[in-house]
Amino acid sequence: MTSSPEVSIIIAVYNHFDWLEMILTALKYQSFRDFEVIIADDGSNSDTVEAIARWAQSAPFTIRHCWHDDRGWRKNIMLNTAVRASSGRYLAFLDGDCIPSPSWLADHIALRKHHMALAGRRMDLPVSISNSIKATDIDSPSRLRWLALKAFAGAVKEGTHGKLRCLRFPCPQFLPLLRRKKDILGCNFSLYKDDLLAVNGFDERYLAPGTGEDTDLELRLTNAGMTVSTFSHYMIVYHRNHQRLAMDSSENAAILAQNRADKVTATPYGINRR
């Protein structure tokens, strides 16, 4: 009988298999290896579905592909589906446009605590790299490590904001000085599965990106007595430089405001809907 992995990595995707392939490639070279991958697919087309199936056949880790039909932005619904499909006791979340550094998962594991969500940050890749990078460019440990240096050099040249985020701090003894209170970014965070279940996962009423998408989860975790922390220059991911989606949903804002006013912890619109 095969034991369950320690971690389930949940990747939210919608088409763009070229970027998902880079994420899967980077996961081959994680220094922490006891994980499975759950692809939370918000309705990708048949070409993407078939490409994922082909990649999964030869992947060095288990890949589970959760998919539903494309009826608009339903990321939170699919994330809950992926959580139900997961078997790890710890959950780490990525978006489908964020390439993890080799120590990304090991950092999340080393810093984790019960009743605390780790909120990693992201570095926006320079446009020149973002528009040209391919999975073959990072398909070895050394090439993946070189991505940090290329990203830094390109960011300096282009004046990209947050250029130092690509540099991992090498001295763990200084971690207390690097701890920050930051908001959860849905593209890079982790927590124990039991803690997510305690607040009933993601609120499925959010049907647009932006306001409340991940802020709502942080609000409810905090209401439940948990904390959210990050550590500068750890848990590093490299984010595709692209046009951002509209983030001005009045419906989202109203849901978030009501949850805040009601001091909600476990949403009735989550993993186990009432």
Side-chain angles (χ1 to χ4, degrees):
M1 181 175 177
T2 304
S3 61
S4 297
E6 180 68 12
V7 183
S8 295
I9 299 172
I10 296 177
I11 310 174
V13 303
Y14 176 69
N15 293 319
H16 293 290
F17 179 75
D18 54 339
W19 272 82
L20 175 59
E21 185 176 28
M22 283 189 278
I23 295 169
L24 297 174
T25 298
L27 290 177
K28 292 195 301 184
Y29 306 114
Q30 290 296 298
S31 54
F32 184 91
R33 303 297 301 273
D34 188 13
F35 64 84
E36 66 178 357
V37 171
I38 314 291
I39 297 176
D41 190 337
D42 193 16
S44 293
N45 59 36
S46 59
D47 288 344
T48 301
V49 171
E50 291 168 6
I52 291 171
R54 288 193 299 270
W55 215 97
Q57 289 177 355
S58 59
F61 40 77
T62 298
I63 296 177
R64 305 177 194 273
H65 184 197
C66 299
W67 179 92
H68 59 199
D69 60 315
D70 186 358
R71 290 193 280 132
W73 195 95
R74 295 186 292 156
K75 178 182 177 182
N76 280 12
I77 295 172
M78 179 45 67
L79 287 175
N80 281 342
T81 299
V83 171
R84 285 192 291 266
S86 67
S87 56
R89 69 186 187 118
Y90 197 74
L91 305 176
F93 292 83
L94 281 169
D95 273 355
D97 57 3
C98 289
I99 303 170
S101 63
S103 59
W104 169 76
L105 188 55
D107 286 344
H108 275 282
I109 294 301
L111 299 170
R112 66 180 171 171
K113 290 182 180 179
H114 286 283
H115 311 310
M116 180 180 77
L118 282 167
R121 312 325 282 167
R122 66 190 182 192
M123 181 210 174
D124 284 333
L125 286 171
V127 174
S128 57
I129 295 177
S130 191
N131 289 344
S132 63
I133 191 171
K134 304 181 296 296
T136 52
D137 296 326
I138 58 171
D139 198 5
S140 74
S142 59
R143 288 179 178 178
L144 187 55
R145 284 191 292 269
W146 268 103
L147 180 59
L149 298 178
K150 291 178 182 177
F152 178 73
V156 169
K157 182 178 180 180
E158 296 182 13
T160 306
H161 174 69
K163 58 182 70 69
L164 293 178
R165 288 180 182 169
C166 66
L167 303 179
R168 186 175 183 274
F169 198 77
C171 302
Q173 61 267 35
F174 291 109
L175 276 173
L177 300 177
L178 300 173
R179 183 170 180 169
R180 300 287 186 271
K181 171 63 176 72
K182 293 286 189 178
D183 298 333
I184 286 177
L185 291 180
C187 67
N188 181 13
F189 77 100
S190 68
L191 76 173
Y192 276 94
K193 187 174 183 178
D194 286 347
D195 289 337
L196 182 62
L197 295 178
V199 298
N200 205 19
F202 298 87
D203 190 320
E204 297 185 358
R205 295 175 296 167
Y206 290 96
L207 298 175
T211 303
E213 173 192 342
D214 35 32
T215 307
D216 178 87
L217 176 60
E218 178 179 352
L219 169 70
R220 291 183 289 109
L221 289 169
T222 303
N223 287 345
M226 304 184 208
T227 58
V228 177
S229 294
T230 192
F231 296 82
S232 302
H233 304 293
Y234 285 86
M235 305 172 288
I236 296 167
V237 301
Y238 308 102
H239 179 243
R240 179 167 67 99
N241 200 316
H242 62 88
Q243 185 176 358
R244 302 297 170 86
L245 298 174
M247 301 289 185
D248 56 353
S249 169
S250 58
E251 292 84 359
N252 282 19
I255 295 168
L256 180 62
Q258 191 63 57
N259 281 352
R260 181 175 285 119
D262 293 343
K263 295 181 170 56
V264 172
T265 55
T267 175
Y269 304 97
I271 289 176
N272 297 307
R273 293 196 65 146
R274 300 171 191 169

